Amino acid sequence: MKEVKYKDQIVAIFHGSNEWKENLDFLTPNETFIQTGTWWYQKGKNLMPHKHIINERITYFTQETIIILNGKLQVDLYDEYGNIFHQEILGRNDIGIILSGGHGYSILEDNTKVVEV
């Protein structure tokens, strides 16, 4: 997992398809608005019923998670002046989490399929 920082703040997290850990693995810190994690379990595992309690949160901007189902794309991260300060290539089953700052995507292969949450 790679955390990308700008001015000492985590602005993006990238998780490669080869970095999965068995069981539940949260990728985002607790203080982020979005909760992103991976599950890796074997047959027969039951996840306990639960509900999320009321937890008032204030957010000033949208955070998003992308999951590449097929193909390849490039993520560009921008500073407040519109300059690219980081680029990341994501492929099949990779995950990108954008927490803040400017960002753009370039599709690098035909039939690229992405889920955005």
Side-chain angles (χ1 to χ4, degrees):
M1 187 169 68
K2 179 191 294 184
E3 292 181 344
V4 178
K5 292 185 177 184
Y6 181 75
K7 294 186 177 179
D8 295 325
Q9 179 183 2
I10 300 171
V11 296
I13 299 169
F14 298 105
H15 183 270
S17 61
N18 62 340
E19 297 179 298
W20 283 61
K21 297 176 184 172
E22 286 202 55
N23 300 308
L24 174 62
D25 182 24
F26 283 113
L27 307 179
T28 49
N30 288 337
E31 60 272 7
T32 60
F33 176 74
I34 194 166
Q35 175 180 293
T36 303
T38 58
W39 298 4
W40 179 358
Y41 295 115
Q42 304 306 319
K43 181 179 177 178
K45 171 69 176 174
N46 294 313
L47 301 171
M48 296 300 295
H50 69 285
K51 65 180 184 177
H52 294 203
I53 61 172
I54 294 174
N55 187 356
E56 185 174 345
R57 297 177 190 210
I58 298 172
T59 183
Y60 298 102
F61 45 84
T62 299
Q63 297 179 331
E64 65 189 46
T65 296
I66 58 171
I67 304 156
I68 309 344
L69 300 180
N70 192 58
K72 191 178 286 188
L73 63 81
Q74 177 175 300
V75 180
D76 297 327
L77 300 178
Y78 296 86
D79 66 14
E80 63 269 28
Y81 306 106
N83 301 310
I84 295 173
F85 68 88
H86 183 84
Q87 294 179 311
E88 193 78 25
I89 304 292
L90 300 180
R92 184 179 178 150
N93 296 322
D94 289 342
I95 300 169
I97 306 162
I98 308 301
L99 299 175
S100 65
H103 57 283
Y105 303 112
S106 298
I107 304 302
L108 302 178
E109 290 184 359
D110 288 341
N111 300 311
T112 296
K113 295 179 182 177
V114 177
V115 174
E116 178 181 335
V117 181

